[in-house]
Amino acid sequence: MHSRRFSSSFAIVSLIAGLGALLTACDSGPSGPTHFSILSPGESRVTVLPGQTVHFQVQLSATGFRVEYQVDGETVHEGPTFDFTPILVEHAVRVSVIPIGSTAAPDVQDFTVGVEVPGNQPPAVSSFNHVPETAEAVTDTFTFNLSAVDTDGSLQRVVLDFGDDSDPVTLSGGLLGGAIQQEHVFPDQGTYEVRAIVFDDDGVAVDIRDTVEALPPNQFPTGSLTLQGSTEGDGPLAITIRTSGNDADGEIIKWELDLDQGDGYQVIQPNQTVQVSYVYREDAYVPKLRLTDDDGDASVIEADEEILVFRQISAGRSAVTATANATFANAAIAPAIWADGQDAFTVTVDVRDPDGAPLADVPVSLRVLRPDLLAPDARNLGSPVTISPADPRTNAQGRAIVLLRTTTSTRVEAAPEISFKSFDVEVEADRGHGEMVPLEVLEGLNAETIVGPQTGRVAIRSAGGSGGYCPGELVNISVDVDVRAGAPGAGGPARDRFTIVRTGPLAELEVLPTTPGPGFASWRTNGSGEIVLQYRPSASDQGRIALVWVDGQPLEDLKTFNFAPGC
C-alpha cells in the first residue's frame, strides 16, 4: 500500500496526506508505569475548536526510552512533546514509550482528539467511489466521485490525497456541489488508499477512504521488419520482407503490413514473409509493420533500412541532338548562333530505357563546361550561357527540348582576354536519388559576334569636356557601336556589348587599365550601344594607339593619345 507521512511544518495538507484508518479511542484516563508519566493532556478524549492546538507532553523518569506519536495509525513525531492541530471530527492519537535497544513491547496510551463547533453539524458524505473498478497505471484514468452536503451550512473545500506521493488536490468555490468528480492517473501499479477530506464553512472536517487497484501498465507488442536482398537498384526491384512479433503480457491479435506503395496497411498472417516488387519512385520506400495486442494497443515497426529504386536509363538507347542558326550551317564555326542572347541552340534530349521505351518526367541536366565571364578586374560577370527551362524534364514521349543561349560575350578566357572559342555542353539524365547518367557531350558549340570592325566609332577627349588634355588628366574614351549587317537587328545599337581598350605594338597588345565611366557598369554598352571608359594617360602614352575591342571584335576606328600643346 502506498502512503504518505505527516510533517509537523505542514499542518493541514501534510496531515491530510498522512492520515490512516481511524483507531478506536480508549475511554480510560492517561496512566503509565513508573518510568514515565503523561503531563498533558489530562484527559484521553480532547475536543477543541477549529484551528486550536492540543499539547502533548511526556515526562520520562528513566533513561533508555524514547517517545513516539502516531496520528490515525501513522507515525508523525518523535520526542517527549508534540503539538497537534486536529482538522477532523475525530483523530486517534497514540503515545508510545519505546525501550531503546530492546525488543520489549512499548507502553502505549491512546487519546481521541477532535474538532467541534457547538451546534454545528459536520459535513455528511453519502458516497465516495471510483470508475472504472480497476485500470492500468501510467496510461489509464480513474474518475473519483464524491457526494457530500453540509446540512447546516455549506461545503468550504475538499482535499483529495491519492496516496501515490503526488500533491493533494484541493477543490473549492464553484468546484463544489452535491456531486464532485476528479480524475487521476497513478504513476505505478499497486493498491492505493485514496482519501477525501471534506470541510464545512465552520472549519470542521470529515474524511472518507476509497481503495484503488492500479494494474501494471500494458506492455506494447514488440517486433521486427527485416528486408532481405539489395535495397538499392533499378526498378522493378524485388525485395523479401520478413516479419516477427511478440507480446510479453498477452497476445497479438492483428498483424498488418504497409508496403508503402500507396495502399495503406493490409492484414497479414503472423510472422509472414512477403515478396514485393518495387518500381522507381523519387522518394524512398519505407515498409511498416503494425502489431495490435489483446489490450487494443498497437506498435508500429519501420523497416530497418530504406528502399531506393532507380530508373533504368540507357545512354546507348537515349539520344541528344543540337541545332543552331542555319546562317552558319556552312561556316567554319558551325554549329553556331548569334551571340545576342536571343538566338539559341535547340537541344533535343530523348531518354530511353534498355528496351528503347521512352521515360517520362525524367529531370535532364545541361552543364556548360567552361568558366563564368570575368571583367578586366576579375569581377564575375555571370555565366556565358543561359539554359531554359532551368529544370527541364522529359514529356510523356520521353523528350525534353531545351534552349541554350550564349550571353553577349561568349567567353573571357582569362581576364582581360576575350575571344569567341568553341565550348562543350554535358547532357545528363537523373536516374533518381541524386544520381545522374551521362548521355552525351555536345562538342564544338560556338557563337558569332553581331559587332563588325567597321560598326564602331571611338573618340578620346578630356573628361572635363574640352578637346585637349595633358598627362595625368582624366580622359574619356567614348565608344558608339552598331549591329553589323546580316546580324539580327542590323544597323541598330549594339546593346550590352563587353568592351575593353588595348594598346601597344600589334604583336604585343596589352589591356589599358580603364574603368567604366559614370553611368556605365561591367564594361558593357548601354541601351544606345554606347560606353565611356576613363583613363589617366602618362607622358609615355604620347602617340600610342588605343585599339577598342567590342564583343571580341577589334574596331577599325583607331585612335592615339595626343596631348594638347603646352603640356
Side-chain angles (χ1 to χ4, degrees), residues 429-462:
D430 185 2
R431 68 185 294 253
H433 311 292
E435 294 192 11
M436 306 298 290
V437 176
L439 300 183
E440 189 171 340
V441 176
L442 298 174
E443 298 178 335
L445 302 183
N446 215 323
E448 178 64 287
T449 178
I450 61 171
V451 177
Q454 299 177 341
T455 59
R457 295 161 294 281
V458 181
I460 300 178
R461 59 176 60 88
S462 169

Side-chain angles (χ1 to χ4, degrees), residues 547-564:
L547 180 60
V548 177
W549 290 57
V550 180
D551 210 20
Q553 174 65 54
L555 302 182
E556 292 183 353
D557 189 7
L558 304 180
K559 290 292 185 280
T560 58
F561 291 104
N562 296 309
F563 299 127

Side-chain angles (χ1 to χ4, degrees), residues 385-419:
V385 176
T386 61
I387 297 173
S388 62
D391 299 305
R393 286 177 175 262
T394 59
N395 58 19
Q397 290 73 44
R399 171 169 291 184
I401 297 178
V402 186
L403 297 182
L404 188 151
R405 292 181 171 88
T406 62
T407 55
T408 50
S409 293
T410 306
R411 181 176 186 178
V412 175
E413 178 67 20
E417 291 288 339
I418 179 169
S419 59

Side-chain angles (χ1 to χ4, degrees), residues 23 56 69-72 82 84 91-95 109-113:
L23 299 177
F56 288 85
Y69 291 88
Q70 288 185 334
V71 175
D72 296 334
F82 172 47
F84 173 52
H91 295 283
V93 179
R94 169 166 287 186
V95 181
Q109 293 291 323
D110 290 324
F111 296 84
T112 300
V113 179

Side-chain angles (χ1 to χ4, degrees), residues 1 35 158 166 172 263 270 301 338 372 381 443:
M1 176 164 312
H35 56 273
V158 173
S166 63
S172 60
D263 300 323
I301 300 102
W338 291 109
D372 290 349
L381 301 179
E443 298 178 335

Side-chain angles (χ1 to χ4, degrees), residues 50 60 92 95 155 182 196 201 261 283 332-333 344 360 382 400 434 437 456 467 510:
L60 296 174
V95 181
L155 299 180
Q182 180 66 35
D201 51 351
Q261 292 180 318
D283 295 331
I333 63 172
V437 176
E510 62 183 36

Side-chain angles (χ1 to χ4, degrees), residues 12-25:
I12 294 179
V13 174
S14 294
L15 179 61
I16 294 169
L19 293 179
L22 290 176
L23 299 177
T24 304

